Amino acid sequence: MAGRYGRPRPFLRMRSLAGQVFLLQVAIVVLLVAASVAALVLQSRADSEREARNRSVAVAETFANAPGVEAALRSPDPTAVLQPRAEAARKGSGVDFIVVMNLESVRYTHPLPDRIGKKFVGTVEPALDGRVVTEKVDGTIGPLVQAVVPVTGAGGEAVGLVSAGITIKNVSGVAEGQFPLLFGSAAGILLLALGGTALVTRRLNRQTHGLGPTEMTRMYEHHDAVLHAVREGVLIAGGEGRLLLANDEARRLLRLPPDVEGTPVAELGLDPVTTELLVSGRSATDEVHSVGDRVLAISQRATDRHGGPPGSVTTLRDTTELQALTGRAAMARGRLKLLYDAGTEIGTALDVVRTCEELADFATKRFADYATVDLAEGVLRGEEPTTVSATTDGLRRSAFSGPRDDTGLHPLGSMIGFLPTTDLGAGLLRGEAVLDTDLPRRAGWQQQNPERAERIVESGFHSLMAVPMRARGVVLGAALFWRAQTPEPFEEEDLSVAEELVARAAVSIDNARRYSREHNVAVTLQRSLLPQGLPDQSAIDAAYRYLPAQAGLGGLGGVGGDWFDIIPLPGARVALVVGDVVGHGLHAAATMGRLRTAVHNFSTLDLPPDELLWHLDELVARIDQDESVEGSEGAGVTGATCIYAIYDPASGHCTMARAGHLQPVIISADGVAAFADVPGGPPLGLGGMPFETLDLELPEDSRLVLYTDGLVEDRHRDIDEGLELLRDTLSGHPDRTPEETCQAVLRVLVPAKARDDIALLVGRTRRLAPENVAEWDVPSDPSAVARIRSEVSRMLTEWNLVEEAFTTELILSELVTNSIRYANGPIGVRLIRDRTLICEVSDRSSTSPHLRQAASMDEGGRGLFLVAQLAERWGTRYTEDGGKVIWTEQLLQPEINGPG
């Protein structure tokens, strides 16, 4: 281990395992590279000799079979003919010589002319028999391979011989030219191999810490001795979850077999909690686990925290002698876990009864066989709690949980009074918990109801805990926990747990009670602000639906800011309004009431829809400005939309305008539904943009559908999908009444728990019968007043309204006379018989008459005062052409009321 402590170590005398492995790998790599180079050289030589043999044979046979060779051999001077041809062929084929000879081996050709006529040196006998002869010889030009082939005549006999030869060095020159590349590649491979070997050796050196085989053996022996000698169990698990090592103490504590190494940790047969810890590999310090009859303190760490291999090391210490202490700790943990679970399962909804049910269900699942919860009546109603008198006021059973109902316990909804003379009643009155571990002993509790107590005991009940519910110093009720099937009675520890559990539940119940009170206030306010019914009018047949959001999902008990209205207007007309205030709760409901009141006030001015929305927009902006000046944080109108439509049943004319609201749907008389293209305007309160109107004529039995966005918006679908679904639902049903239309739309589009409130208004248009409307054009001539009075009197006689004729003539005389006197252009008179008798006088003047009290000496000023006294209502509205209409309404007797 000299290298570990700083002493130098010669490279060639390395004694560490890593150094020896390095040297061995380098030697093996060098030998492999050398053997590869030698093999390549030998293979190159063999290939060169084979190539020389093949080339010499091919050249000799080609020349021997060439045309004219046989004739040249038979010619008087073969050398003169064959020498040039042989030299040309030799140079073209790259061989060293081509020799043509006769059958006695005398040369006719040779690269050296002085060799011609001399004997050929080589074996030729097999060639005389027609075979090819190849041989390797050492010639004057070096080692070469030569081939001898016969030149055959027409009869197949040999008439001469041809020999071709090539030196081996000429053939091997190409291969030898590749040796630099070969040796360079070998050198590169050697360097890469050395580099890889060095990296592997470095990693091995790091893992073995430079130790030699002897040192490693000694160290392993020491470690093994220590590992199995310590009185602490050790388990080592690999990254794949298998057990790599277990010492003797671990085998003893866990009762593991001798051949347990290699077994998956999950299959060691341990309890689920301990198995989960070992399989997870998470860090743990002295976690107490019961394994068999032993209590073990288990610590665990991962082995890869400092670059080690994946896995974990677990140590086990036997702490059985601390079992009693561990048991108390486990009990405390169980108690804390029970209270933690109670916090997540009790009080999930702001509902008093639901919280009581959750408490009872939780108790029966954990420590009781039966559980009941009794509350004071005022708490159930959301009232502010006061001191509860169990003897006089009694408690209402609000929750019951248990496997049976026929046990003698009071049923749900029954009133229960606890006698103060019993321990149970006295304890509840004092606000103290009561524990009775032996109910059959009947220590006074049966005085409450002896017959019921007998049934309870016969049903097997033997133990009881009664815990008062206290919140803010006041008792709200009591929770009773019973045991019947469980043989063990309740203990003092159970009572303390029950007290903490009931205390937490009491807070949730009190919160739910306060929520219920606020919810009731908000609902009362909202109901007072929404329409209580449909007004009497003849313009449309209407139906509506208002659905608040589900409590707890859309805000404060579902109370929101959606509203709708049907407002009768002069001239038998009607206004349809739907609006939406963003948000939920009291503020949204109050804002909705303010806006609804403003719409009613503006509608009395008989403004067109665009002007009414403009005034409403100004009002919202002023409200926001005033509340921001007052510093009321968050109290402004955070957003509001509205759509306002006016329908005239006399002409079928409908005018609509919207402020940030969704498009209404118009269903034609044949059942085709389409969205009305009402020009869009900004939401109320933004200001700066004028509102535009859509004017159209609605045939009779058309349906106008107004709604808020809660109908089509849902978190599970896009708003465009909701709009398309609404149109599909409304289409194709021309015979539906408005009520049926509302039911169909809500059935298809509204989920079970709506997160936003919904307002839906459906109006089917009506038309006034032509015989109930009379119109006249009056020239601007005072003499025309008498004629119009006569015409009106005649029409009222036809309508069987003779008693109203005199009053109507007076009213029309005054109104027509004023128009002739103060206005220019044509004058129109219209008489409408509806629920009231409506008189309308129109002219081109925009000057509105004003009611005033005339002095006793004034000659005029009493006409309009007379009209106001004779008519039930009167007023003025302006027309689009710059004129005005002065109208009056007169009540009719019930038996002669007009249609509707």
Side-chain angles (χ1 to χ4, degrees), residues 393-409:
D393 297 341
L395 303 176
R396 177 78 64 182
R397 178 138 294 176
S398 305
F400 174 91
S401 179
R404 295 172 50 193
D405 296 330
D406 56 342
T407 57
L409 298 178

Side-chain angles (χ1 to χ4, degrees), residues 1-9 16 205 208-212 215 218-219 222-223:
M1 301 177 65
R4 295 186 62 189
Y5 298 101
R7 295 192 297 271
R9 185 185 334 187
S16 69
N205 187 51
T208 61
H209 301 287
L211 298 177
E215 295 166 334
R218 185 182 302 112
M219 181 183 67
H222 291 170
H223 288 185

Side-chain angles (χ1 to χ4, degrees), residues 347-562:
T348 60
L350 290 174
D351 183 86
V352 173
V353 175
R354 178 58 186 158
T355 304
C356 294
E357 293 172 348
E358 291 173 346
L359 171 61
D361 293 340
F362 181 85
T364 54
K365 289 189 297 184
R366 299 303 179 100
F367 60 89
D369 297 329
Y370 292 84
T372 60
V373 180
D374 309 318
L375 293 180
E377 280 287 309
V379 175
L380 291 172
R381 293 192 297 267
E383 299 173 358
E384 194 69 24
T386 57
T387 302
V388 175
S389 175
T391 57
T392 57
D393 297 341
L395 303 176
R396 177 78 64 182
R397 178 138 294 176
S398 305
F400 174 91
S401 179
R404 295 172 50 193
D405 296 330
D406 56 342
T407 57
L409 298 178
H410 289 276
L412 277 175
S414 58
M415 291 296 296
I416 303 172
F418 296 94
L419 295 178
T421 57
T422 64
D423 293 340
L424 180 61
L428 293 178
L429 284 177
R430 293 193 305 268
E432 299 176 356
V434 177
L435 172 62
D436 192 337
T437 60
D438 190 5
L439 289 178
R441 185 168 54 91
R442 304 181 184 179
W445 67 274
Q446 76 281 359
Q447 299 175 14
Q448 192 82 25
N449 190 325
E451 295 181 0
R452 190 175 294 275
E454 186 69 24
R455 290 179 56 192
I456 291 175
V457 173
E458 291 177 354
S459 299
F461 288 83
H462 60 81
S463 186
L464 164 67
M465 291 188 301
V467 183
M469 284 189 169
R470 300 176 62 90
R472 295 186 294 159
V474 178
V475 177
L476 306 179
L480 280 69
F481 307 101
W482 313 75
R483 276 187 178 174
Q485 284 80 17
T486 303
E488 296 81 8
F490 288 118
E491 300 176 352
E492 290 292 337
E493 189 69 26
D494 297 322
L495 183 61
S496 63
V497 172
E499 287 179 319
E500 292 191 34
L501 183 64
V502 172
R504 295 193 178 195
V507 174
S508 298
I509 290 175
D510 189 56
N511 290 337
R513 178 201 60 79
R514 297 171 65 184
Y515 172 83
S516 299
R517 183 187 61 185
E518 295 180 6
H519 171 250
N520 293 336
V521 172
V523 169
T524 302
L525 172 63
Q526 184 190 39
R527 288 177 177 174
S528 66
L529 295 177
L530 286 173
Q532 304 302 311
L534 296 177
D536 293 333
Q537 44 83 33
S538 303
I540 59 171
D541 179 15
Y544 66 90
R545 292 290 188 277
Y546 177 81
L547 298 180
Q550 181 70 21
L553 296 178
L556 182 59
V559 177
D562 290 14

Side-chain angles (χ1 to χ4, degrees), residues 727-804:
R727 184 172 63 180
D728 294 342
T729 304
L730 295 174
S731 295
H733 301 279
D735 298 331
R736 276 180 181 168
T737 65
E739 280 289 336
E740 293 171 343
T741 301
C742 290
Q743 294 174 4
V745 169
L746 297 184
R747 183 174 59 252
V748 174
L749 275 83
V750 179
K753 294 183 177 181
R755 301 184 66 88
D756 194 6
D757 44 347
I758 297 169
L760 174 64
L761 180 60
V762 180
R764 183 171 61 185
T765 60
R766 296 173 179 173
R767 285 290 188 93
L768 294 179
E771 58 270 17
N772 292 322
V773 180
E775 296 182 276
W776 297 274
D777 291 330
V778 181
S780 185
D781 184 358
S783 62
V785 176
R787 182 180 61 81
I788 196 63
R789 291 178 59 178
S790 175
E791 292 288 340
V792 168
S793 178
R794 181 184 58 79
M795 180 57 66
L796 292 179
T797 302
E798 293 181 7
W799 287 349
N800 196 23
L801 299 177
V802 178
E803 293 184 5
E804 283 75 15

Side-chain angles (χ1 to χ4, degrees), residues 95-131:
V95 298
D96 290 308
F97 65 85
I98 297 178
V99 176
V100 182
M101 67 195 83
N102 59 16
L103 298 178
E104 286 78 20
S105 301
V106 177
R107 300 186 182 101
Y108 288 145
T109 65
H110 196 280
L112 300 176
D114 59 349
R115 303 286 179 92
I116 297 175
K118 296 180 181 181
K119 280 280 191 178
F120 175 75
V121 179
T123 304
V124 297
E125 287 76 10
L128 296 175
D129 296 334
R131 291 178 293 171

Side-chain angles (χ1 to χ4, degrees), residues 182 274 506 652 824 880:
L182 176 64
T274 305
N824 297 320
E880 296 179 357

Side-chain angles (χ1 to χ4, degrees), residues 270-304:
L270 305 177
D271 63 280
V273 178
T274 305
T275 299
E276 186 276 332
L277 172 61
L278 298 180
V279 171
S280 66
R282 61 180 174 83
S283 296
T285 301
D286 290 337
E287 284 194 10
V288 179
H289 290 256
S290 296
V291 181
D293 57 349
R294 300 180 184 277
V295 179
L296 304 180
I298 301 178
S299 298
Q300 184 169 266
R301 294 291 185 274
T303 57
D304 57 355

